[in-house]
Amino acid sequence: MATLNPIAHIETPFKGKFGVPRQAGLVSYEARVVFEPDYRVTEAVRGLETFDYVWLIWHFHLSDGEAWHPTVRPPRLGGNTRVGVFATRSPFRPNPIGISCVRLLRVEQTGPQGPTLVVDGADLVDGTPIFDIKPYLAYADAHPEARCGFAQDAPTTPLEMVDDHGLLLQLPESKRQALVQVLRLDPRPHYQHDAARVYTMPFDCWEVKFSVSEGYVEVLNILNATTL
């Protein structure tokens, strides 16, 4: 059996599993796919710039060592109802492999890490190993009429943002917009509904503290993790 070797890794502001978008395309922000030294070959991405989207096939590396189970409890069902693992995108699988469709913004050929892919809408933790990259083909990959089981509908209406002290302003605009999108989609586990609880989410070089209640998400503090 052939061994899978990562050809690249991704650079995103999501430093841990908590807060990562639950699906690709839900949060718009720029991420970088950086090839490993053996695969930094310009010819390998020739023509890729003519595609708008690509598939990333990647490794659920933070789930290594976790036992898989034939049934799991997907967040979309409140975290209480079990369904078959193969009817979900759970990371706890017999083989911890993920797949995401992301928008390809550009291919950067120059620089010490070139070629590099700049993508939008990734749902991967920073440093996630990538096994393969394939172009998205609308005529073969898009099936808008398809049934989607318990995940037929898009996520519910986003939460209203509360930032009375202007804490978000300390972030660069591009990072700020990504964080706002993540928080408004409610990154909490679906079984947690304690309005008094303060959550801490790692995001880029910050630790973001927030709470959720009555349809609102409130930013309580943003700390620079490099000084903690």
Side-chain angles (χ1 to χ4, degrees):
M1 181 179 295
T3 300
L4 289 178
N5 295 310
I7 64 166
H9 66 274
I10 197 165
E11 296 179 352
T12 80
F14 302 104
K15 305 301 181 181
K17 290 188 289 185
F18 181 43
V20 175
R22 291 192 170 97
Q23 299 293 340
L26 291 182
V27 175
S28 178
Y29 72 97
E30 288 193 8
R32 300 176 64 84
V33 175
V34 179
F35 288 94
E36 302 304 329
D38 288 347
Y39 301 96
R40 292 176 187 172
V41 182
T42 300
E43 289 80 2
V45 296
R46 181 185 298 160
L48 192 60
E49 73 280 356
T50 65
F51 293 87
D52 284 337
Y53 290 84
V54 295
W55 291 103
L56 304 179
I57 296 90
W58 47 276
H59 181 196
F60 280 111
H61 64 298
L62 297 184
S63 300
D64 278 350
E66 298 280 355
W68 79 280
H69 298 280
T71 62
V72 297
R73 297 179 293 182
R76 288 295 294 271
L77 294 177
N80 296 313
T81 303
R82 286 192 172 274
V83 299
V85 65
F86 299 126
T88 75
R89 300 189 178 189
S90 167
F92 305 111
R93 322 185 67 79
N95 294 301
I97 297 173
I99 181 170
S100 299
C101 184
V102 297
R103 184 181 177 190
L104 178 62
L105 299 177
R106 60 187 180 274
V107 179
E108 296 182 349
Q109 296 285 5
T110 60
Q113 295 179 323
T116 301
L117 310 185
V118 181
V119 301
D120 178 78
D123 56 342
L124 284 71
V125 174
D126 185 55
T128 295
I130 295 173
F131 291 134
D132 204 0
I133 299 164
K134 299 180 185 295
Y136 170 90
L137 301 178
Y139 70 84
D141 298 339
H143 301 280
E145 76 289 352
R147 294 183 301 154
C148 299
F150 62 83
Q152 182 69 39
D153 298 320
T156 56
T157 303
L159 301 169
E160 292 294 328
M161 172 62 66
V162 178
D163 181 25
D164 290 338
H165 301 289
L167 297 169
L168 290 166
L169 294 176
Q170 64 183 284
L171 277 64
E173 183 176 0
S174 61
K175 297 290 177 63
R176 180 168 67 247
Q177 292 303 319
L179 176 60
V180 168
Q181 291 177 72
V182 169
L183 293 177
R184 293 191 66 203
L185 287 173
D186 194 352
R188 301 174 303 164
H190 280 242
Y191 54 83
Q192 293 184 1
H193 302 284
D194 184 359
R197 180 167 178 173
V198 175
Y199 298 87
T200 300
M201 186 183 85
F203 181 79
D204 203 65
C205 62
W206 299 278
E207 283 192 357
V208 180
K209 296 185 180 295
F210 68 94
S211 62
V212 178
S213 63
E214 301 294 334
Y216 292 85
V217 55
E218 181 176 4
V219 178
L220 303 175
N221 207 348
I222 297 179
L223 305 172
N224 192 321
T226 61
T227 61
L228 296 179

